[in-house]
Amino acid sequence: MSNFFHTKIEFLKGVGPQRAELLQKELGIFTYGDLIQHYPFRYLDRTQFYKIAELDDSLPYVQVKGRLRGKEILGEGRKQRLSARLADETGELELVWFKGVKWVEKAIKNHTDYIVFGKPTEFNGRYNIAHPELEEVTEQKPTNAFLQPVYNTTEKLKSFRVESKTIAKLMEVLLNMAAPHIQETLSPDLVDHYRLIGKREALLNIHFPESAEKYKSAKFRLTFEELFYIQLRLLRQRVVRRVELKGQVFNNIPTLNEFYKNHMTFDLTNAQKRVVKEIYKDLTAGKQMNRLLQGDVGSGKTIVAFITMLIAADNGAQSVLMAPTEILADQHYQGLKKFADSLGILLGKLTGSTKAKERKVLHEQLRSGEMKMIVGTHALLEDVVQFQNLGLCIVDEQHRFGVEQRSKLWRKNPQIIPHVLVMTATPIPRTLAMTLYGDLDVSVIDELPAGRKEIVTVHRFDSHRLRVFQFIRDQIKLGRQAYIVYPLIEESEGMDYKDLMDGYESVQRAFPEFRISMVHGKMKAQDKDYEMQRFVKNETHIMVATTVIEVGVNVPNASVMVIESAERFGLSQLHQLRGRVGRGAEQSYCILMTGYKLSKDSKTRLETMVRTNNGFEIADIDLKLRGPGDLMGTQQSGVLDLLISDLAKDAPILQEARAAAQQILEEDPQLEQDKHQNIRKHIQSLSANTVNWSRIS
Ligand code: ADP
Ligand code: MG
């Protein structure tokens, strides 16, 4: 992009210093380039009108043409509202304003034709639209824009009269000036091959589409471009890593063979075998491994981690397995210790609560290389923890760790960067994984060990609580344990806390014969651990908790998961919670409790949970319901600041874009060929643009 697009927004006609400051603060628009990329979030189809008699509660927005038949201000003080009647030949509609009453009353005229836009709601058999957009019908021909853009603004901007229409006007001014400066950003080959419209035409038509066809082409072109550059960046990082980062070669596996032969108590599933092969190939390639291991809860990632650690040990290298909490570190340790002991391998554990004396011994054993494997928490990151030859880092539940924290681990081998395996049980849809972890290689365990009983999931209304409690009682009498989980959502923390406490008390009252634990986010880590341990050791029968128990905790004896106010949880979160049961030999149950009043999305979530146990299917539906921004682990990534793409809908384009990026990099890794100069230039301008202005100001 030329310098034109770096011009400060305040220089645009109609902006000025005050609006410029607002646009910066409210929408992050600092330059002409930023404004041009402020794409409409929807369009008004000005050719489509509804008749008043056709209105229907389920319509999101409608456009109605009619005549204003009267207006009156009703009520007093804060209850004051303006009510106006709009009529067409089929009926009458009420328009209501609760704000700006006096101002609007003056602005609208009786016996005048208006185009009204808004969401219709039914009340006592009549339709009304609150705070409609209103436009007088004029003789003048409508603009040549087929679809009219609607731009995001904020309440603050609106209070300064910067409405969608205002932005549209600014955009028109800008596009007129900008047109000659807009350069093609994709190679001629790509434009040809994917039949893309040019960059200039795309920008003009995304804001002011000449036709529905043109709009589609513009949207496709810009989506393709956005996803293409994300993939190109990720793939280049991967190439750089492959070329530049050497890795230790681990090709001896005597102990692994012995383990397979004499100590494995079960057969690996086919998925586990495939993943082990993929990992082994990485470890013998001479390049640094950077692999994401995805596997639903209970799919058996721990054994794969151990096998990988064993391969490292067989080649004289040390490995760490880092977990986000003490409880999880503990469980990993317990799980791996059996295996390590059987092979006579020294396995350590280092967490915040490891005693100073023990610590000293561990530090020494790690430095000398005597200890080949260690499991732990953040405590592993401390500078005093040094290795003789750290060759492998495994990180569990990665979204709990920041990038910096993790890189602290890698740096513990100054000679040669360790191999990295990141494990996550959050089933990320493939499209999202490709974008989020595009620079990692991905392995998936998509199969549960044989003989596992499917968790039975049911939805029950609150009014059936007594029966649900009876069911819990029966299960506990059979020797099992139960979880009862309450929501905890930050905005209403106080209320949720009260719900939890009320819940805890009612559970205590309902089960006087059982011992009950409680864990929530307001407790000190130590107390949490203590309570959790009591439940793990089967000293308590019921665990009342908030979502803090979500990740990774393993209590095979727990067979019932009751989720209160289940409608308030996201789908992936419900699935994660459900994964806390079904880990033992017994049949397990997940009971989703809700009131009667449920939104459409809540119903979809509950039905999905009842219907399927497949984490990937659930993740896909979750992505469709929520959009990717909310999915776990995506907040810190930054790659998801998408301007136009929607990963839930644009998966096919994403795949094309990735394939295109891959092909170009294979053919011309340094982007030196003439035909790739557009791409090369655009990458340079993108990286020049990544200065985060909002942070500077
Ligand atoms: P997760 O992927 O959730 O971390 P784990 O590694 O904790 O799952 O495995 C869950 C349980 O399944 C463990 O008790 C483990 O020993 C067992 N397991 C793992 N792989 C197999 C297998 N191939 N056959 C039978 N049991 C297995
Ligand atoms: Mg696990």
Side-chain angles (χ1 to χ4, degrees):
M1 276 211 219
S2 73
N3 282 335
F4 173 85
F5 293 98
H6 295 158
T7 313
K8 288 212 179 91
I9 196 70
E10 61 175 290
F11 298 119
L12 186 67
K13 192 168 151 257
V15 177
Q18 193 202 21
R19 276 188 173 175
E21 202 185 314
L22 279 168
L23 287 171
Q24 288 167 15
K25 281 220 177 93
E26 296 290 302
L27 298 175
I29 295 174
F30 288 80
T31 62
Y32 286 6
D34 293 339
L35 181 61
I36 255 185
Q37 295 189 85
H38 188 62
Y39 300 133
F41 76 97
R42 61 180 170 83
Y43 300 82
L44 297 184
D45 184 345
R46 287 306 200 190
T47 61
Q48 276 273 346
F49 291 95
Y50 279 86
K51 294 291 175 210
I52 290 173
E54 293 171 341
L55 295 187
D56 174 343
D57 242 353
S58 69
L59 296 167
Y61 290 98
V62 293
Q63 189 170 241
V64 178
K65 210 186 311 189
R67 179 158 293 188
L68 204 70
R69 292 272 181 221
K71 53 180 178 176
E72 101 190 272
I73 293 179
L74 303 169
E76 290 291 323
R78 288 182 54 209
K79 292 225 171 118
Q80 201 175 51
R81 68 179 198 275
L82 170 65
S83 162
R85 289 176 297 129
L86 187 90
D88 67 7
E89 66 276 17
T90 70
E92 220 176 66
L93 167 74
E94 189 193 6
L95 309 175
V96 204
W97 287 266
F98 303 97
K99 281 186 194 156
V101 167
K102 296 222 169 77
W103 190 82
V104 179
E105 203 270 338
K106 279 207 195 82
I108 59 177
K109 293 169 282 185
N110 279 328
H111 316 297
T112 306
D113 288 336
Y114 284 100
I115 293 169
V116 167
F117 179 85
K119 158 114 190 91
T121 353
E122 198 204 300
F123 187 70
N124 286 340
R126 275 185 59 182
Y127 279 92
N128 69 66
I129 296 181
H131 287 264
E133 281 175 32
L134 218 59
E135 193 179 313
E136 203 178 320
V137 178
T138 52
E139 288 308 313
Q140 198 183 17
K141 241 178 27 160
T143 53
N144 67 346
F146 178 79
L147 296 167
Q148 190 170 314
V150 181
Y151 295 99
N152 252 327
T153 64
T154 63
E155 286 308 315
K156 181 103 182 273
L157 280 165
K158 279 187 200 158
S159 71
F160 283 85
R161 295 271 148 78
V162 181
E163 320 234 356
S164 167
K165 265 190 218 160
T166 328
I167 296 180
K169 271 189 203 130
L170 297 175
M171 201 66 79
E172 223 175 326
V173 174
L174 178 59
L175 283 171
N176 277 331
M177 290 196 307
H181 298 276
I182 299 172
Q183 286 158 7
E184 183 50 58
T185 43
L186 291 173
S187 67
D189 279 4
L190 283 177
V191 172
D192 258 16
H193 186 261
Y194 292 96
R195 305 213 179 126
L196 303 173
I197 61 171
K199 179 74 180 248
R200 181 178 307 139
E201 204 182 349
L203 283 176
L204 296 178
N205 276 284
I206 201 71
H207 291 290
F208 301 105
E210 286 166 28
S211 66
E213 274 314 301
K214 276 281 169 62
Y215 160 72
K216 269 194 217 148
S217 309
K219 171 89 168 45
F220 182 83
R221 145 85 211 211
L222 295 171
T223 305
F224 183 90
E225 175 180 334
E226 180 167 59
L227 296 172
F228 171 80
Y229 277 103
I230 290 172
Q231 291 304 322
L232 194 68
R233 196 187 68 213
L234 292 167
L235 290 169
R236 282 177 97 209
Q237 281 167 9
R238 195 158 100 170
V239 170
V240 167
R241 215 187 57 224
R242 286 241 175 99
V243 175
E244 290 178 3
L245 297 182
K246 299 255 170 300
Q248 301 195 51
V249 175
F250 294 161
N251 51 13
N252 300 314
I253 46 167
T255 326
L256 178 61
N257 283 332
E258 193 205 324
F259 180 62
Y260 276 150
K261 211 154 69 221
N262 301 327
H263 303 285
M264 278 276 288
T265 48
F266 48 72
D267 291 329
L268 293 180
T269 61
N270 285 329
Q272 286 169 321
K273 282 182 198 157
R274 188 186 65 234
V275 168
V276 168
K277 264 192 211 138
E278 287 165 354
I279 290 172
Y280 184 69
K281 204 168 156 217
D282 284 355
L283 296 180
T284 49
K287 304 287 182 202
Q288 189 231 2
M289 171 171 80
N290 226 335
R291 189 168 280 281
L292 176 73
L293 173 56
Q294 264 184 283
D296 213 342
V297 279
S299 62
K301 294 184 291 296
T302 315
I303 184 77
V304 173
F306 181 74
I307 288 170
T308 311
M309 293 166 92
L310 204 49
I311 298 175
D314 262 343
N315 292 273
Q318 294 165 290
S319 32
V320 302
L321 170 57
M322 185 164 75
T325 66
E326 185 130 8
I327 295 175
L328 288 176
D330 217 57
Q331 289 195 344
H332 277 309
Y333 179 70
Q334 302 301 342
L336 299 187
K337 194 154 173 27
K338 283 180 286 199
F339 300 136
D341 284 353
S342 70
L343 296 164
I345 293 174
L346 187 56
L347 172 83
K349 182 182 73 167
L350 179 64
T351 70
S353 58
T354 307
K355 301 254 156 35
K357 230 165 89 188
E358 265 174 83
R359 250 170 220 256
K360 250 180 102 184
V361 177
L362 283 174
H363 291 164
E364 190 38 49
Q365 287 170 327
L366 290 173
R367 206 172 300 129
S368 71
E370 181 190 352
M371 177 171 282
K372 286 286 180 280
M373 301 178 181
I374 186 153
V375 175
T377 57
H378 298 80
L380 290 165
L381 299 174
E382 287 170 21
D383 289 334
V384 286
V385 182
Q386 292 297 327
F387 296 83
Q388 185 226 9
N389 173 21
L390 179 61
L392 169 70
C393 300
I394 302 182
V395 183
D396 194 16
E397 298 298 350
Q398 86 132 18
H399 59 272
R400 295 285 179 104
F401 293 104
V403 177
E404 279 146 62
Q405 282 180 317
R406 281 184 275 140
S407 70
K408 249 185 153 170
L409 253 188
W410 316 166
R411 274 181 269 135
K412 286 186 188 285
N413 187 337
Q415 266 80 44
I416 183 161
I417 189 165
H419 294 293
V420 173
L421 183 67
V422 175
M423 303 200 291
T424 174
T426 313
I428 304 162
R430 230 186 112 65
T431 50
L432 197 56
M434 266 159 74
T435 310
L436 273 181
Y437 303 109
D439 63 328
L440 299 188
D441 299 302
V442 180
S443 288
V444 181
I445 308 183
D446 50 7
E447 178 187 0
L448 293 184
R452 205 58 77 71
K453 289 201 180 77
E454 282 244 316
I455 301 166
V456 174
T457 303
V458 294
H459 171 208
R460 293 284 179 266
F461 292 109
D462 292 340
S463 50
H464 290 88
R465 180 166 285 103
L466 283 182
R467 267 195 265 165
V468 171
F469 278 7
Q470 187 54 45
F471 179 76
I472 296 176
R473 187 169 290 116
D474 294 343
Q475 284 285 308
I476 295 176
K477 282 189 184 144
L478 289 172
R480 322 270 188 271
Q481 291 162 279
Y483 292 102
I484 304 179
V485 176
Y486 290 81
L488 188 65
I489 296 169
E490 271 157 43
E491 301 98 74
S492 59
E493 206 176 325
M495 234 174 71
D496 284 336
Y497 187 66
K498 189 174 169 299
D499 285 352
L500 175 73
M501 289 304 163
D502 290 351
Y504 178 61
E505 274 168 30
S506 74
V507 171
Q508 270 183 325
R509 256 180 278 123
F511 300 101
E513 71 271 44
F514 298 138
R515 283 186 301 275
I516 300 163
S517 280
M518 178 166 62
V519 168
H520 59 80
K522 285 194 171 176
M523 288 164 75
K524 285 205 198 91
Q526 246 175 329
D527 300 339
K528 242 191 306 202
D529 270 11
Y530 175 77
E531 279 296 305
M532 208 54 232
Q533 286 304 350
R534 291 213 307 156
F535 189 66
V536 171
K537 290 185 202 140
N538 203 358
E539 290 168 10
T540 55
H541 303 103
I542 299 176
M543 165 60 78
V544 174
T546 56
T547 47
V548 291
I549 59 145
E550 194 179 322
V551 177
V553 175
N554 193 16
V555 184
N557 191 48
S559 68
V560 186
M561 166 63 66
V562 178
I563 304 176
E564 295 282 351
S565 304
E567 75 277 12
R568 289 176 56 192
F569 292 86
L571 197 43
S572 292
Q573 211 178 9
L574 289 173
H575 180 64
Q576 287 278 320
L577 284 169
R578 175 168 61 186
R580 297 307 111 223
V581 296
R583 313 198 125 227
E586 304 304 331
Q587 177 63 55
S588 288
Y589 305 87
C590 174
I591 305 171
L592 307 168
M593 305 289 298
T594 74
Y596 286 112
K597 224 183 136 192
L598 293 170
S599 71
K600 199 162 146 263
D601 278 6
S602 305
K603 276 187 200 145
T604 308
R605 289 198 294 267
L606 296 166
E607 282 161 15
T608 306
M609 283 292 292
V610 171
R611 179 170 52 80
T612 179
N613 271 295
N614 182 326
F616 286 92
E617 190 184 340
I618 286 174
D620 271 330
I621 295 171
D622 198 28
L623 181 64
K624 287 198 182 102
L625 287 177
R626 297 204 286 178
D630 284 341
L631 282 193
M632 243 184 278
T634 61
Q635 293 89 341
Q636 67 218 28
S637 71
V639 275
L640 284 181
D641 296 336
L642 298 172
L643 296 172
I644 194 161
S645 323
D646 175 345
L647 292 178
K649 296 196 186 108
D650 296 329
I653 309 182
L654 173 63
Q655 267 157 35
E656 297 272 6
R658 184 175 172 89
Q662 208 147 17
Q663 202 191 340
I664 287 177
L665 287 180
E666 268 162 30
E667 191 190 325
D668 182 14
Q670 301 302 324
L671 302 172
E672 289 161 336
Q673 296 176 15
D674 267 358
K675 61 178 183 187
H676 295 143
Q677 286 324 292
N678 288 348
I679 294 174
R680 193 192 169 89
K681 260 196 265 168
H682 190 57
I683 289 178
Q684 280 161 355
S685 89
L686 282 178
S687 50
N689 247 343
T690 47
V691 183
N692 190 339
W693 295 103
S694 49
R695 216 174 281 159
I696 293 170
S697 59

